[in-house]
Amino acid sequence: EVSTMEVSHAVIGGREFQRLTHLDGRLVEVLRRGDEVVCLHPNGTLTRINRKQAGPLGLGERIAHDVPEQYNILVDGDGRVAGRAATRMRVAPLDTHRYGYRLWLDNESNLLLKSEVVDGSGVALERVEFVTLTLAAPLTEQDFSIPETVKESDLTQLADSHPSHQLSVEAQWMPAGFTSVDQDWRQGGSDREPVAAQGYSDG
């Protein structure tokens, strides 16, 4: 299944702004304004999520800072994406407990133009790719404004004193390099039961 999106990204006044707009199917948008993330739903409502989140191409940012020891990074030749010259790279796992990645980096800007998540046989399971790209576009804060909505809801983080925080999730076994991250309890409105999420990551 293929889904197309328009991505706008800018740093204005030291703050990062991003807008993801689905161009097919139901109209859904995700806005990032600094640390605030807002999801705009097709029915005209929005949900605010006040937390730092990486964009859809956040893998490149993580690899630029640190590569877990369970992976090797290999330069895999030249490529071309969105009409731009690129360098191909492979992020190869050293065991069978994690996926690998194929990356295409823009030679001019070092921007991640394309990424693929691949299984142990090299088959692409997920692909994110630019088809057109405009650098240094004249964007302003107005391009990332939040429209008027019918209803607004917050995913509020529960207070530390809430009884739900007495519950915990522990894995009996994890592959080497994985640790638990982002155990989170949130409540979508005062009339709803809180929900929990526990994530695991190898970096």
Side-chain angles (χ1 to χ4, degrees):
E1 182 178 350
V2 176
S3 179
T4 56
M5 291 191 300
E6 180 181 56
V7 181
S8 301
H9 182 273
V11 177
I12 304 171
R15 296 177 65 205
E16 186 174 5
F17 292 81
Q18 187 168 269
R19 189 181 203 114
L20 311 179
T21 304
H22 286 255
L23 300 181
D24 48 24
R26 304 175 71 188
L27 177 60
V28 177
E29 288 190 296
V30 178
L31 284 173
R32 177 177 178 179
R33 299 161 54 89
D35 291 342
E36 178 188 43
V37 179
V38 177
C39 181
L40 307 177
H41 305 292
N43 61 357
T45 65
L46 68 78
T47 301
R48 296 179 186 269
I49 306 173
N50 293 309
R51 62 181 300 178
K52 295 182 179 180
Q53 293 187 353
L57 302 180
L59 173 65
E61 297 178 10
R62 297 198 300 271
I63 289 178
H65 291 88
D66 185 29
V67 179
E69 61 183 11
Q70 289 80 22
Y71 293 91
N72 271 342
I73 292 188
L74 307 169
V75 177
D76 200 26
D78 298 326
R80 192 164 177 266
V81 179
R84 302 178 65 87
T87 297
R88 294 200 314 263
M89 302 186 71
R90 283 190 294 131
V91 182
L94 301 180
D95 58 33
T96 59
H97 301 306
R98 61 206 86 224
Y99 293 123
Y101 301 88
R102 288 195 289 257
L103 311 175
W104 286 255
L105 303 180
D106 183 44
N107 287 350
E108 177 186 348
S109 65
N110 295 325
L111 181 69
L112 181 60
L113 298 177
K114 178 179 176 179
S115 69
E116 291 180 341
V117 180
V118 297
D119 64 14
S121 302
V123 176
L125 305 176
E126 180 182 81
R127 178 180 294 117
V128 177
E129 177 179 1
F130 283 104
V131 294
T132 61
L133 179 66
T134 302
L135 297 177
L139 298 172
T140 67
E141 288 196 32
Q142 287 298 111
D143 295 300
F144 305 94
S145 60
I146 300 174
E148 294 183 1
T149 57
V150 177
K151 182 180 179 182
E152 180 176 334
S153 62
D154 289 328
L155 290 181
T156 56
Q157 196 160 6
L158 297 178
D160 292 338
S161 59
H162 195 280
S164 296
H165 283 290
Q166 299 176 9
L167 301 176
S168 63
V169 178
E170 295 184 5
Q172 296 296 315
W173 176 85
M174 286 187 293
F178 279 87
T179 58
S180 60
V181 294
D182 295 335
Q183 181 168 329
D184 200 10
W185 287 90
R186 289 181 181 268
Q187 189 167 16
S190 59
D191 58 338
R192 296 185 180 181
E193 292 295 323
V195 295
Q198 173 68 67
Y200 299 90
S201 173
D202 64 353

